[in-house]
Amino acid sequence: MGEENRDDKTDSCGEVGPTSSPKPEPLTAAQFLSWKQRKDEEEAAKKAEAARKRAEDIASGAVQMNGRELFLHEPWVFDNELY
């Protein structure tokens, strides 16, 4: 009386789907290298964009420079001959 009949099948997590998942195809070396190259290019593009934005912010004075950036942009600040 308290049981409900379900047409769909659920697994132990409660998700609806087939009871046995199909075995995925093995990844070939060429597929991996293609994925890795694409991933590295995306990461390099993100880093380049962040560096470009940081340079713009430094040039406009919106952010404070760290020591390395200060040394590269204003090396006269570190001239010890003045003292």
Side-chain angles (χ1 to χ4, degrees):
M1 279 180 47
E3 288 186 32
E4 296 178 6
N5 292 332
R6 292 187 179 185
D7 292 333
D8 54 10
K9 296 179 181 177
T10 58
D11 60 2
S12 62
C13 296
E15 297 178 2
V16 177
T19 56
S20 63
S21 61
K23 186 175 181 180
E25 293 292 321
L27 191 63
T28 65
Q31 289 173 327
F32 173 76
L33 291 175
S34 172
W35 170 83
K36 179 70 173 155
Q37 182 180 13
R38 188 171 60 247
K39 194 76 166 168
D40 289 344
E41 288 170 356
E42 291 172 1
E43 186 176 341
K46 284 182 185 179
K47 285 184 180 181
E49 178 64 22
R52 184 194 60 78
K53 182 166 179 3
R54 174 87 177 157
E56 284 179 3
D57 289 345
I58 288 172
S60 68
V63 297
Q64 188 175 10
M65 287 188 269
N66 62 27
R68 178 181 293 178
E69 292 163 342
L70 184 61
F71 182 76
L72 292 174
H73 290 281
E74 299 174 4
W76 56 268
V77 172
F78 298 95
D79 186 12
N80 287 335
E81 293 177 7
L82 299 175
Y83 301 108

